[in-house]
Short mmCIF file of all heavy atoms in Angstrom, two decimals:
data_model
loop_
_atom_site.label_atom_id
_atom_site.label_comp_id
_atom_site.label_asym_id
_atom_site.label_seq_id
_atom_site.Cartn_x
_atom_site.Cartn_y
_atom_site.Cartn_z
N ALA A 30 55.62 13.03 -321.80
CA ALA A 30 55.56 14.30 -322.53
C ALA A 30 56.27 15.41 -321.76
O ALA A 30 56.97 16.23 -322.36
CB ALA A 30 54.10 14.68 -322.80
N GLN A 31 56.10 15.43 -320.46
CA GLN A 31 56.80 16.42 -319.63
C GLN A 31 58.31 16.33 -319.86
O GLN A 31 58.98 17.35 -320.05
CB GLN A 31 56.51 16.17 -318.13
CG GLN A 31 55.11 16.49 -317.72
CD GLN A 31 54.81 16.05 -316.29
OE1 GLN A 31 53.70 16.23 -315.85
NE2 GLN A 31 55.74 15.50 -315.55
N GLN A 32 58.84 15.11 -319.84
CA GLN A 32 60.28 14.91 -320.01
C GLN A 32 60.75 15.24 -321.42
O GLN A 32 61.86 15.75 -321.60
CB GLN A 32 60.67 13.47 -319.65
CG GLN A 32 60.47 13.14 -318.19
CD GLN A 32 61.26 14.06 -317.26
OE1 GLN A 32 62.41 14.38 -317.51
NE2 GLN A 32 60.61 14.49 -316.20
N VAL A 33 59.92 14.97 -322.41
CA VAL A 33 60.28 15.27 -323.80
C VAL A 33 60.27 16.78 -324.03
O VAL A 33 61.19 17.34 -324.64
CB VAL A 33 59.31 14.57 -324.78
CG1 VAL A 33 59.46 15.10 -326.20
CG2 VAL A 33 59.53 13.06 -324.75
N ILE A 34 59.25 17.47 -323.54
CA ILE A 34 59.11 18.91 -323.78
C ILE A 34 60.08 19.72 -322.93
O ILE A 34 60.67 20.69 -323.41
CB ILE A 34 57.65 19.35 -323.55
CG1 ILE A 34 56.73 18.65 -324.58
CG2 ILE A 34 57.51 20.86 -323.64
CD1 ILE A 34 55.24 18.81 -324.31
N PHE A 35 60.26 19.35 -321.68
CA PHE A 35 61.15 20.07 -320.77
C PHE A 35 62.15 19.09 -320.16
O PHE A 35 62.11 18.79 -318.97
CB PHE A 35 60.36 20.77 -319.66
CG PHE A 35 59.56 21.96 -320.14
CD1 PHE A 35 58.20 21.86 -320.33
CD2 PHE A 35 60.20 23.16 -320.41
CE1 PHE A 35 57.46 22.95 -320.77
CE2 PHE A 35 59.47 24.26 -320.85
CZ PHE A 35 58.10 24.16 -321.04
N ALA A 36 63.07 18.61 -320.98
CA ALA A 36 64.07 17.62 -320.53
C ALA A 36 64.94 18.16 -319.40
O ALA A 36 65.40 17.38 -318.56
CB ALA A 36 64.94 17.18 -321.71
N GLU A 37 65.17 19.45 -319.38
CA GLU A 37 66.04 20.04 -318.37
C GLU A 37 65.34 20.29 -317.03
O GLU A 37 65.98 20.63 -316.04
CB GLU A 37 66.66 21.35 -318.90
CG GLU A 37 65.69 22.50 -319.06
CD GLU A 37 64.87 22.52 -320.35
OE1 GLU A 37 64.64 21.45 -320.95
OE2 GLU A 37 64.44 23.60 -320.74
N ALA A 38 64.04 20.10 -316.98
CA ALA A 38 63.28 20.36 -315.75
C ALA A 38 63.56 19.29 -314.70
O ALA A 38 63.77 18.13 -315.02
CB ALA A 38 61.79 20.40 -316.05
N ASN A 39 63.55 19.72 -313.43
CA ASN A 39 63.69 18.75 -312.35
C ASN A 39 62.46 18.75 -311.43
O ASN A 39 62.44 18.04 -310.43
CB ASN A 39 64.98 18.97 -311.56
CG ASN A 39 65.11 20.37 -310.99
OD1 ASN A 39 64.14 21.10 -310.88
ND2 ASN A 39 66.33 20.73 -310.63
N ALA A 40 61.45 19.55 -311.78
CA ALA A 40 60.20 19.55 -311.02
C ALA A 40 59.04 19.98 -311.92
O ALA A 40 59.21 20.85 -312.79
CB ALA A 40 60.30 20.50 -309.83
N PHE A 41 57.92 19.35 -311.71
CA PHE A 41 56.69 19.68 -312.43
C PHE A 41 55.58 19.85 -311.41
O PHE A 41 55.47 19.06 -310.48
CB PHE A 41 56.32 18.57 -313.42
CG PHE A 41 57.31 18.40 -314.53
CD1 PHE A 41 58.33 17.46 -314.44
CD2 PHE A 41 57.25 19.19 -315.67
CE1 PHE A 41 59.25 17.30 -315.46
CE2 PHE A 41 58.17 19.04 -316.70
CZ PHE A 41 59.17 18.08 -316.59
N LYS A 42 54.78 20.89 -311.59
CA LYS A 42 53.66 21.14 -310.68
C LYS A 42 52.38 21.26 -311.50
O LYS A 42 52.20 22.22 -312.26
CB LYS A 42 53.90 22.40 -309.87
CG LYS A 42 55.09 22.28 -308.93
CD LYS A 42 55.33 23.54 -308.14
CE LYS A 42 56.60 23.38 -307.32
NZ LYS A 42 57.02 24.64 -306.71
N ALA A 43 51.49 20.28 -311.33
CA ALA A 43 50.22 20.27 -312.05
C ALA A 43 49.19 21.11 -311.32
O ALA A 43 49.18 21.17 -310.09
CB ALA A 43 49.71 18.83 -312.19
N SER A 44 48.34 21.78 -312.09
CA SER A 44 47.25 22.55 -311.52
C SER A 44 46.13 22.68 -312.55
O SER A 44 46.31 22.31 -313.71
CB SER A 44 47.73 23.94 -311.09
OG SER A 44 48.14 24.68 -312.22
N THR A 45 45.03 23.21 -312.10
CA THR A 45 43.93 23.52 -313.00
C THR A 45 43.85 25.02 -313.11
O THR A 45 43.75 25.72 -312.10
CB THR A 45 42.60 22.95 -312.48
OG1 THR A 45 42.73 21.53 -312.35
CG2 THR A 45 41.46 23.26 -313.42
N LEU A 46 43.92 25.52 -314.32
CA LEU A 46 43.78 26.95 -314.57
C LEU A 46 42.29 27.24 -314.76
O LEU A 46 41.65 26.63 -315.62
CB LEU A 46 44.57 27.34 -315.82
CG LEU A 46 44.38 28.77 -316.32
CD1 LEU A 46 44.91 29.77 -315.29
CD2 LEU A 46 45.07 28.94 -317.66
N GLN A 47 41.77 28.13 -313.95
CA GLN A 47 40.36 28.52 -314.06
C GLN A 47 40.29 29.90 -314.71
O GLN A 47 40.75 30.88 -314.14
CB GLN A 47 39.72 28.59 -312.66
CG GLN A 47 39.63 27.27 -311.96
CD GLN A 47 38.53 26.38 -312.52
OE1 GLN A 47 37.69 26.77 -313.33
NE2 GLN A 47 38.52 25.14 -312.09
N LEU A 48 39.72 29.96 -315.92
CA LEU A 48 39.58 31.23 -316.61
C LEU A 48 38.36 31.98 -316.08
O LEU A 48 37.32 31.37 -315.82
CB LEU A 48 39.43 31.01 -318.10
CG LEU A 48 40.59 30.37 -318.84
CD1 LEU A 48 40.23 30.16 -320.31
CD2 LEU A 48 41.86 31.17 -318.71
N THR A 49 38.50 33.28 -315.96
CA THR A 49 37.35 34.11 -315.63
C THR A 49 36.55 34.37 -316.90
O THR A 49 37.04 34.11 -318.02
CB THR A 49 37.79 35.46 -315.04
OG1 THR A 49 38.50 36.18 -316.07
CG2 THR A 49 38.68 35.27 -313.81
N LEU A 50 35.36 34.90 -316.77
CA LEU A 50 34.55 35.24 -317.93
C LEU A 50 35.27 36.26 -318.81
O LEU A 50 35.30 36.14 -320.04
CB LEU A 50 33.18 35.77 -317.48
CG LEU A 50 32.18 36.07 -318.58
CD1 LEU A 50 31.89 34.82 -319.42
CD2 LEU A 50 30.88 36.59 -317.98
N GLU A 51 35.89 37.23 -318.18
CA GLU A 51 36.67 38.24 -318.91
C GLU A 51 37.82 37.59 -319.69
O GLU A 51 38.06 37.90 -320.85
CB GLU A 51 37.22 39.29 -317.94
CG GLU A 51 38.35 40.11 -318.51
CD GLU A 51 37.97 41.55 -318.75
OE1 GLU A 51 36.95 42.00 -318.22
OE2 GLU A 51 38.71 42.18 -319.49
N GLN A 52 38.55 36.66 -319.05
CA GLN A 52 39.65 35.96 -319.72
C GLN A 52 39.13 35.11 -320.88
O GLN A 52 39.76 35.05 -321.94
CB GLN A 52 40.41 35.08 -318.74
CG GLN A 52 41.28 35.86 -317.77
CD GLN A 52 41.89 34.99 -316.70
OE1 GLN A 52 41.26 34.05 -316.20
NE2 GLN A 52 43.14 35.27 -316.36
N MET A 53 37.97 34.49 -320.71
CA MET A 53 37.40 33.68 -321.81
C MET A 53 37.09 34.57 -323.01
O MET A 53 37.37 34.18 -324.15
CB MET A 53 36.15 32.94 -321.33
CG MET A 53 36.50 31.80 -320.38
SD MET A 53 35.10 30.79 -319.94
CE MET A 53 34.78 29.93 -321.46
N HIS A 54 36.57 35.75 -322.77
CA HIS A 54 36.30 36.69 -323.88
C HIS A 54 37.60 37.12 -324.55
O HIS A 54 37.67 37.22 -325.78
CB HIS A 54 35.53 37.91 -323.38
CG HIS A 54 34.12 37.62 -323.01
ND1 HIS A 54 33.21 37.02 -323.85
CD2 HIS A 54 33.45 37.85 -321.86
CE1 HIS A 54 32.05 36.88 -323.26
NE2 HIS A 54 32.16 37.38 -322.03
N GLN A 55 38.65 37.36 -323.75
CA GLN A 55 39.95 37.74 -324.31
C GLN A 55 40.53 36.61 -325.16
O GLN A 55 41.08 36.86 -326.24
CB GLN A 55 40.93 38.11 -323.19
CG GLN A 55 40.60 39.39 -322.48
CD GLN A 55 41.50 39.62 -321.27
OE1 GLN A 55 42.07 38.68 -320.70
NE2 GLN A 55 41.64 40.87 -320.86
N VAL A 56 40.41 35.38 -324.68
CA VAL A 56 40.90 34.21 -325.43
C VAL A 56 40.15 34.10 -326.75
O VAL A 56 40.77 33.91 -327.81
CB VAL A 56 40.76 32.91 -324.60
CG1 VAL A 56 40.97 31.68 -325.47
CG2 VAL A 56 41.74 32.92 -323.44
N GLU A 57 38.84 34.23 -326.72
CA GLU A 57 38.04 34.13 -327.94
C GLU A 57 38.43 35.21 -328.94
O GLU A 57 38.56 34.93 -330.14
CB GLU A 57 36.55 34.21 -327.60
CG GLU A 57 36.06 32.97 -326.89
CD GLU A 57 34.60 33.04 -326.45
OE1 GLU A 57 33.90 34.03 -326.78
OE2 GLU A 57 34.17 32.09 -325.79
N LYS A 58 38.65 36.42 -328.46
CA LYS A 58 39.04 37.51 -329.36
C LYS A 58 40.43 37.26 -329.96
O LYS A 58 40.63 37.43 -331.16
CB LYS A 58 39.02 38.84 -328.59
CG LYS A 58 39.31 40.03 -329.45
CD LYS A 58 39.18 41.31 -328.67
CE LYS A 58 39.48 42.49 -329.58
NZ LYS A 58 39.42 43.76 -328.88
N LEU A 59 41.36 36.84 -329.14
CA LEU A 59 42.73 36.61 -329.59
C LEU A 59 42.85 35.41 -330.52
O LEU A 59 43.53 35.46 -331.54
CB LEU A 59 43.63 36.42 -328.36
CG LEU A 59 45.14 36.45 -328.53
CD1 LEU A 59 45.61 37.73 -329.21
CD2 LEU A 59 45.81 36.32 -327.18
N ALA A 60 42.17 34.31 -330.18
CA ALA A 60 42.27 33.07 -330.97
C ALA A 60 41.32 33.05 -332.15
O ALA A 60 41.54 32.30 -333.11
CB ALA A 60 42.00 31.86 -330.07
N GLY A 61 40.24 33.83 -332.07
CA GLY A 61 39.22 33.75 -333.12
C GLY A 61 38.43 32.47 -333.03
O GLY A 61 37.83 32.03 -334.00
N LEU A 62 38.43 31.86 -331.84
CA LEU A 62 37.74 30.59 -331.58
C LEU A 62 37.08 30.67 -330.21
O LEU A 62 37.57 31.39 -329.34
CB LEU A 62 38.75 29.43 -331.53
CG LEU A 62 39.57 29.14 -332.76
CD1 LEU A 62 40.78 28.27 -332.39
CD2 LEU A 62 38.71 28.41 -333.77
N PRO A 63 36.04 29.88 -329.98
CA PRO A 63 35.47 29.83 -328.63
C PRO A 63 36.52 29.34 -327.63
O PRO A 63 37.33 28.47 -327.96
CB PRO A 63 34.32 28.83 -328.74
CG PRO A 63 34.02 28.73 -330.20
CD PRO A 63 35.30 29.05 -330.92
N ALA A 64 36.50 29.89 -326.42
CA ALA A 64 37.44 29.47 -325.38
C ALA A 64 37.19 28.02 -324.98
O ALA A 64 38.08 27.35 -324.49
CB ALA A 64 37.35 30.38 -324.16
N ARG A 65 36.00 27.52 -325.19
CA ARG A 65 35.58 26.14 -325.03
C ARG A 65 35.46 25.65 -323.60
O ARG A 65 34.61 24.84 -323.31
CB ARG A 65 36.48 25.20 -325.83
CG ARG A 65 35.78 23.92 -326.23
CD ARG A 65 36.68 22.93 -326.88
NE ARG A 65 37.52 22.33 -325.88
CZ ARG A 65 38.69 21.80 -326.14
NH1 ARG A 65 39.15 21.78 -327.34
NH2 ARG A 65 39.40 21.27 -325.18
N SER A 66 36.30 26.08 -322.71
CA SER A 66 36.23 25.58 -321.34
C SER A 66 36.77 26.62 -320.37
O SER A 66 37.64 27.41 -320.72
CB SER A 66 37.06 24.29 -321.21
OG SER A 66 37.03 23.81 -319.89
N VAL A 67 36.25 26.58 -319.16
CA VAL A 67 36.73 27.46 -318.10
C VAL A 67 37.97 26.85 -317.45
O VAL A 67 38.88 27.56 -317.05
CB VAL A 67 35.63 27.67 -317.04
CG1 VAL A 67 36.12 28.53 -315.89
CG2 VAL A 67 34.40 28.29 -317.67
N ALA A 68 38.01 25.53 -317.36
CA ALA A 68 39.09 24.82 -316.66
C ALA A 68 40.05 24.16 -317.64
O ALA A 68 39.61 23.47 -318.57
CB ALA A 68 38.50 23.78 -315.72
N TRP A 69 41.35 24.35 -317.41
CA TRP A 69 42.39 23.78 -318.27
C TRP A 69 43.45 23.10 -317.43
O TRP A 69 43.83 23.60 -316.37
CB TRP A 69 43.03 24.89 -319.12
CG TRP A 69 42.07 25.40 -320.12
CD1 TRP A 69 41.12 26.36 -319.94
CD2 TRP A 69 41.91 24.92 -321.46
NE1 TRP A 69 40.39 26.51 -321.09
CE2 TRP A 69 40.85 25.65 -322.04
CE3 TRP A 69 42.56 23.96 -322.21
CZ2 TRP A 69 40.43 25.44 -323.35
CZ3 TRP A 69 42.15 23.76 -323.53
CH2 TRP A 69 41.10 24.49 -324.08
N ARG A 70 43.93 21.95 -317.91
CA ARG A 70 44.97 21.19 -317.22
C ARG A 70 46.33 21.78 -317.60
O ARG A 70 46.72 21.74 -318.76
CB ARG A 70 44.92 19.72 -317.62
CG ARG A 70 43.59 19.06 -317.27
CD ARG A 70 43.50 17.66 -317.82
NE ARG A 70 43.42 17.72 -319.30
CZ ARG A 70 43.51 16.69 -320.11
NH1 ARG A 70 43.70 15.48 -319.61
NH2 ARG A 70 43.42 16.83 -321.41
N VAL A 71 47.03 22.30 -316.60
CA VAL A 71 48.30 22.98 -316.81
C VAL A 71 49.36 22.37 -315.91
O VAL A 71 49.10 22.06 -314.74
CB VAL A 71 48.18 24.50 -316.52
CG1 VAL A 71 49.52 25.20 -316.66
CG2 VAL A 71 47.13 25.14 -317.41
N ILE A 72 50.56 22.21 -316.45
CA ILE A 72 51.70 21.72 -315.67
C ILE A 72 52.83 22.73 -315.84
O ILE A 72 53.25 23.02 -316.96
CB ILE A 72 52.16 20.33 -316.17
CG1 ILE A 72 51.01 19.33 -316.08
CG2 ILE A 72 53.39 19.86 -315.39
CD1 ILE A 72 51.23 18.05 -316.86
N ALA A 73 53.28 23.28 -314.73
CA ALA A 73 54.42 24.20 -314.76
C ALA A 73 55.70 23.39 -314.63
O ALA A 73 55.78 22.46 -313.84
CB ALA A 73 54.31 25.21 -313.61
N ALA A 74 56.69 23.72 -315.45
CA ALA A 74 57.99 23.04 -315.43
C ALA A 74 59.04 23.96 -314.82
O ALA A 74 59.11 25.15 -315.17
CB ALA A 74 58.40 22.66 -316.86
N TYR A 75 59.83 23.39 -313.90
CA TYR A 75 60.85 24.17 -313.19
C TYR A 75 62.21 23.50 -313.27
O TYR A 75 62.31 22.27 -313.27
CB TYR A 75 60.49 24.31 -311.71
CG TYR A 75 59.26 25.12 -311.45
CD1 TYR A 75 58.01 24.52 -311.41
CD2 TYR A 75 59.34 26.49 -311.25
CE1 TYR A 75 56.87 25.26 -311.17
CE2 TYR A 75 58.21 27.25 -311.01
CZ TYR A 75 56.97 26.63 -310.97
OH TYR A 75 55.84 27.37 -310.74
N LYS A 76 63.23 24.32 -313.28
CA LYS A 76 64.62 23.88 -313.05
C LYS A 76 65.01 24.57 -311.76
O LYS A 76 65.20 25.79 -311.73
CB LYS A 76 65.52 24.30 -314.21
CG LYS A 76 67.00 24.07 -313.98
CD LYS A 76 67.34 22.61 -314.09
CE LYS A 76 68.87 22.49 -313.95
NZ LYS A 76 69.30 21.14 -313.95
N ASP A 77 65.05 23.78 -310.69
CA ASP A 77 65.22 24.33 -309.34
C ASP A 77 64.05 25.29 -309.08
O ASP A 77 62.92 24.88 -309.14
CB ASP A 77 66.60 24.95 -309.16
CG ASP A 77 67.71 23.92 -309.41
OD1 ASP A 77 67.52 22.75 -309.01
OD2 ASP A 77 68.74 24.29 -310.01
N GLU A 78 64.32 26.56 -308.87
CA GLU A 78 63.24 27.52 -308.60
C GLU A 78 62.82 28.31 -309.84
O GLU A 78 61.88 29.10 -309.79
CB GLU A 78 63.67 28.50 -307.50
CG GLU A 78 63.97 27.84 -306.17
CD GLU A 78 62.75 27.16 -305.57
OE1 GLU A 78 61.65 27.74 -305.59
OE2 GLU A 78 62.90 26.01 -305.10
N LYS A 79 63.54 28.11 -310.94
CA LYS A 79 63.28 28.88 -312.16
C LYS A 79 62.17 28.24 -312.99
O LYS A 79 62.24 27.07 -313.36
CB LYS A 79 64.55 28.99 -313.00
CG LYS A 79 64.35 29.81 -314.25
CD LYS A 79 65.59 29.85 -315.12
CE LYS A 79 65.29 30.66 -316.36
NZ LYS A 79 66.26 30.44 -317.40
N LEU A 80 61.15 29.05 -313.33
CA LEU A 80 60.06 28.59 -314.20
C LEU A 80 60.59 28.48 -315.63
O LEU A 80 61.08 29.46 -316.20
CB LEU A 80 58.89 29.57 -314.16
CG LEU A 80 57.75 29.28 -315.13
CD1 LEU A 80 57.02 28.00 -314.73
CD2 LEU A 80 56.78 30.46 -315.18
#
Side-chain angles (χ1 to χ4, degrees):
Q31 290 172 182
Q32 294 303 317
V33 168
I34 296 170
F35 289 103
E37 70 277 26
N39 57 17
F41 294 96
K42 295 180 185 170
S44 65
T45 301
L46 173 65
Q47 295 285 351
L48 297 177
T49 65
L50 185 58
E51 162 111 15
Q52 288 173 322
M53 289 186 71
H54 289 306
Q55 290 173 337
V56 167
E57 289 176 5
K58 184 176 180 182
L59 193 55
L62 299 162
R65 206 186 75 205
S66 179
V67 177
W69 291 85
R70 300 173 291 171
V71 177
I72 301 165
Y75 294 90
K76 171 75 176 176
D77 301 322
E78 298 297 316
K79 182 183 179 197
L80 174 68

